[in-house]
Amino acid sequence: TACGKSALACELAGTFNAEIVSADSVQVYRSLDIGSAKPTPEQRRKIAHHLVDVVEPDEDYTAARFADDAQAAVSDILSRDRNVFVVGGTGLYIKALLGGLFAGPGADASVREELLEFAQASGTEALYERLKEADPEAAKRTHPNNVRRVVRALEVFAISNKPISEFQAEHGFSESRYDALKIGINVERKELCEAIDRRVDEMIVSGLVDEVRVLIERYDGRIDGAGPGLKSMGSLGYKEIARYLSGGTGLSEAIAEIKKNTRRYAKRQMTWFRKDTDIKWYSSADKTGIIARIRRHLS
């Protein structure tokens, strides 16, 4: 995040007769514009972007749905003899597109409700301890505060009596659906933190607070507590500003929290992507090297 990949992708898409498929789990939502750092109207006029503004903020959007939508977009682009750039930092979306998702058991509302009630009564740490007992491997890969993923893993175990990590291992994520070249943009930690801070400040100046206020009032009708409780509003920038608007913190504290949480998110992204040995890493300044690599791949 904030490494300059969107601007670089727009520039190179023009060079390589390409259209862009966004792999960003927040940019799919309409009206979540400033906080998701969507491509600018000018960028979207120059280069066609797909999977931006496809659902309302109160709709659920999953990696499986993204994979279906992205495959359709890729097929459409290729049918017009154009190349495809998939651009974004949501690792699971990219993995789902390239290799598909495992066919685990479906949702069970009663099991999920019981788990959420347990989390509310006993706390997220207690819920996470249950996951560590049921599926230690999944627990290693899941942050204790990511309640949605913890609940899903426990739900799968409760329904099937089989750990979600086993389903995932069996699936294997073969990543053979497309002949894909993966390029990562490498930025020094200090430089990236400075870029994150600048971006957050720019978001505030551009009207992030008003954007969140409108979303809360539109989907909840009031500003109290943590806002509307929508999955989309749990995203970086939105949850912190919603807390500020509810009186839970001051604006300067909320801004500092966004910056801190974004830096943490960037660190988790790097941990995820560093495990992928297929990624070719470049400095954002090395456009010549990136262009040469893309040319070799396409030829």
Side-chain angles (χ1 to χ4, degrees):
T1 190
C3 72
K5 61 185 176 294
S6 297
L8 180 62
C10 281
E11 182 182 344
L12 298 188
T15 301
F16 288 102
N17 186 38
E19 297 181 14
I20 290 174
V21 176
S22 169
D24 186 292
S25 60
V26 188
Q27 291 182 5
V28 296
Y29 292 106
R30 300 185 189 103
S31 302
L32 274 72
D33 301 328
I34 298 170
S36 68
K38 279 181 186 166
T40 66
E42 182 184 1
Q43 288 173 325
R44 293 169 75 173
R45 279 193 299 270
K46 285 183 177 179
I47 303 295
H49 283 69
H50 303 260
L51 302 195
V52 175
D53 293 337
V54 294
V55 293
E56 294 299 326
D58 58 348
E59 292 182 65
D60 194 22
Y61 198 83
T62 64
R65 182 171 170 186
F66 169 81
D68 290 341
D69 291 348
Q71 284 182 76
V74 169
S75 296
D76 170 55
I77 296 166
L78 294 177
S79 74
R80 291 182 277 105
D81 293 322
R82 295 177 70 82
N83 292 310
V84 182
F85 283 8
V86 179
V87 183
T90 303
L92 183 60
Y93 277 19
I94 296 167
K95 184 174 258 191
L97 171 62
L98 296 180
L101 294 168
F102 74 91
D108 186 312
S110 62
V111 172
R112 185 164 293 189
E113 187 176 349
E114 183 272 322
L115 290 167
L116 289 171
E117 286 177 356
F118 176 83
Q120 192 169 27
S122 304
T124 55
E125 279 296 330
L127 186 73
Y128 184 69
E129 287 299 321
R130 285 178 60 172
L131 178 60
K132 284 166 69 175
E133 292 177 14
D135 189 349
E137 190 59 35
K140 285 181 194 173
R141 301 196 299 260
T142 306
H143 194 280
N145 292 336
N146 193 333
V147 175
R148 206 162 48 242
R149 284 188 64 188
V150 173
V151 165
R152 176 56 183 160
L154 287 169
E155 179 186 39
V156 167
F157 185 76
I159 295 168
S160 64
N161 201 31
K162 180 176 175 178
I164 195 171
S165 57
E166 285 189 23
F167 282 107
Q168 292 165 337
E170 288 167 4
H171 175 76
F173 290 108
S174 59
E175 302 201 351
S176 59
R177 183 176 283 147
Y178 302 104
D179 180 13
L181 166 67
K182 300 179 185 176
I183 289 177
I185 304 302
N186 204 20
V187 183
E188 290 296 326
R189 179 73 181 167
K190 183 174 183 293
E191 183 184 342
L192 182 62
C193 289
E194 290 171 354
I196 287 170
D197 288 352
R198 283 195 304 273
R199 173 185 277 185
V200 173
D201 290 337
E202 288 165 5
M203 286 175 174
I204 297 298
V205 171
S206 299
L208 179 59
V209 173
D210 286 338
E211 179 171 278
V212 176
R213 181 183 287 111
V214 168
L215 285 163
I216 291 175
E217 291 175 346
R218 181 184 302 166
Y219 291 98
D220 195 47
R222 66 187 191 281
I223 298 176
D224 61 6
L230 303 177
K231 178 181 175 181
S232 60
M233 293 289 284
S235 307
L236 276 171
Y238 293 93
K239 60 184 178 182
E240 294 89 353
I241 296 299
R243 186 161 172 258
Y244 155 65
L245 290 172
S246 72
T249 186
L251 181 57
S252 59
E253 289 82 4
I255 294 169
E257 194 73 10
I258 297 171
K259 292 176 179 178
K260 181 182 73 175
N261 290 339
T262 306
R263 289 193 291 270
R264 287 177 174 173
Y265 175 61
K267 188 175 181 180
R268 292 198 301 274
Q269 280 181 312
M270 289 307 299
T271 299
W272 173 288
F273 288 118
R274 285 295 185 196
K275 293 176 183 175
D276 188 342
T277 56
D278 291 334
I279 295 178
K280 317 302 179 188
W281 291 96
Y282 291 87
S283 159
S284 59
D286 187 13
K287 279 191 280 190
T288 302
I290 294 172
I291 288 170
R293 173 74 73 165
I294 295 172
R295 282 215 171 99
R296 289 202 302 274
H297 180 72
L298 293 178
S299 64

